Amino acid sequence: MSRRPLVNALLVVAVVALFAVPLLLDGGTSEYGGTDAAVTADLEADGHTPWFESVFSPAGEVESGLFALQAAIGGGVLGYVLGRLRGRRLAQEKPGPGSPAP
Amino acid sequence: MHIAEGFLPASHAVGWTVAAAPFVVHGARAVVKEVRENPESTLLLGAAGAFVFVLSAIKLPSVTGSSSHPTGTGVGAILFRPPVMALLGTVVLLFQALLLAHGGLTTLGANAFAFAVVGPWAGYGAYRLIRAFGGGLLPGVFAGMVLADLTTYVTTSLQLALAFPDASSGLAGAAAKFLGIFAVTQIPLAIGEGLLGVLLFRVLTVNARPELERLGLLQPAPTTTAGDAA
């Protein structure tokens, strides 16, 4: 059992390293602009213009706030579900070993 | 992977919407059926949707010097089969199109086809293939997550190439150009997403074992004590 948390922690470290290492090695020379925007810029450079505008275009801070909101909703729901499932398992383990739900 | 609002020619926008619509409608039915027949699935369905919500909000730096976001659609596809993700993925795209000006309503069909149809099916296919050849749950999850992510971006690139073929090098040249922007950036992100998927399923095998057994992801084991899943 004690190996499980260790492997989980190593997985987290691996994911963080996967994105942190390129940032560090890069030395701050890259812009890290979005690929979506890169394609849009490319198309506009070729003379293509959008024929329909977004119904609502949040600017600057509002946009980052809404992105944070999206992540918060997702993270909140995910955390709630995992917490409930874990609580259920712990409650089932208490009364006696074995006897999983039918 | 978003094609920005208004960029696809109208005929393409309509075409992709027509192509994606049956999948989304079928997906909505699949979600309703799952919740009605197995109310205990609601929690995990919520988790699958929430996973997509989080991952598609996070823009990550890549080795290519640009940034993009993972998709997260592999989790739900592996847990509940791909149709469910056709609905959940489209809901996420709609949120981003309406509130964030990412993607758009005219490009919703094309984006949904790449993100909510092709990605989940490809990821599910990779997962099933690994399992069919005797691979374990976690290797299957890793392959499924990576493929769901990558194929979404490959599909977006091909959709753009179809709409905007290169003047001199045609379709192939345009595909190479868009793949160069999208797919290359996405490789490390897809691997990171694969690792995150493995982490999530490691947690689920311990805490949601009954659900995973019922959904056929794990063999029902004659457990004497809970925990220590292989």
Side-chain angles (χ1 to χ4, degrees):
Chain A
M1 273 306 273
S2 61
R3 233 186 47 152
R4 178 164 284 276
L6 179 68
V7 175
N8 286 350
L10 285 175
L11 278 170
V12 175
V13 170
V15 173
V16 173
L18 194 60
F19 300 108
V21 168
L23 273 180
L24 293 175
L25 292 181
D26 182 71
T29 49
S30 290
E31 292 279 333
Y32 292 110
T35 50
D36 290 356
V39 165
T40 308
D42 201 280
L43 290 176
E44 281 180 334
D46 285 350
H48 302 289
T49 46
W51 54 274
F52 191 81
E53 290 296 323
S54 294
V55 282
F56 169 67
S57 298
E61 298 290 298
V62 180
E63 185 190 6
S64 58
L66 285 169
F67 263 111
L69 179 69
Q70 187 190 334
I73 293 171
V77 172
L78 191 63
Y80 169 78
V81 171
L82 293 180
R84 261 193 70 154
L85 290 171
R86 184 176 142 82
R88 185 189 66 181
R89 173 175 66 91
L90 294 178
Q92 277 174 347
E93 281 175 1
K94 276 274 168 59
S99 75
Chain B
M1 43 61 64
H2 298 97
I3 300 175
E5 180 76 289
F7 270 98
L8 277 186
S11 59
H12 287 250
V14 172
W16 288 114
T17 304
V18 170
F23 287 97
V24 178
V25 171
H26 178 232
R29 286 215 186 110
V31 170
V32 171
K33 184 163 172 266
E34 182 70 32
V35 170
R36 191 171 291 160
E37 291 177 4
N38 303 298
E40 67 276 19
S41 286
T42 315
L43 266 185
L44 277 187
L45 266 173
F51 193 70
V52 177
F53 229 64
V54 187
L55 288 200
S56 59
I58 301 174
K59 291 175 246 179
L60 291 164
S62 181
V63 283
T64 53
S66 57
S67 69
S68 198
H69 63 85
T71 64
T73 53
V75 171
I78 290 168
L79 278 174
F80 295 105
R81 299 187 20 87
V84 164
M85 290 322 295
L87 177 72
L88 298 184
T90 304
V91 170
V92 176
L93 290 175
L94 200 58
F95 178 96
Q96 295 190 317
L98 290 176
L99 292 179
L100 294 163
H102 270 241
L105 297 176
T106 60
T107 53
L108 185 64
N111 289 333
F113 197 83
F115 179 82
V117 177
V118 173
W121 274 105
Y124 181 69
Y127 164 78
R128 287 301 297 262
L129 209 62
I130 297 265
R131 295 307 298 263
F133 282 101
L137 173 66
L138 295 182
V141 165
F142 181 78
M145 301 289 295
V146 171
L147 254 288
D149 184 319
L150 276 181
T151 52
T152 298
Y153 282 82
V154 168
T155 306
T156 303
S157 305
L158 297 180
Q159 287 171 327
L160 283 165
L162 271 178
F164 305 102
D166 197 80
S168 50
S169 54
L171 203 65
K177 179 181 73 177
F178 292 121
L179 283 168
I181 297 175
F182 275 129
V184 180
T185 303
Q186 204 61 23
I187 291 170
L189 269 69
I191 295 170
E193 180 170 347
L195 293 176
L196 273 183
V198 168
L199 182 64
L200 180 64
F201 273 86
R202 283 175 62 86
V203 174
L204 289 178
T205 49
V206 174
N207 294 306
R209 202 168 174 97
E211 281 84 358
L212 296 193
E213 286 173 359
R214 187 178 57 73
L215 292 166
L217 275 77
L218 288 175
Q219 293 295 322
T223 43
T224 46
T225 50
D228 256 329

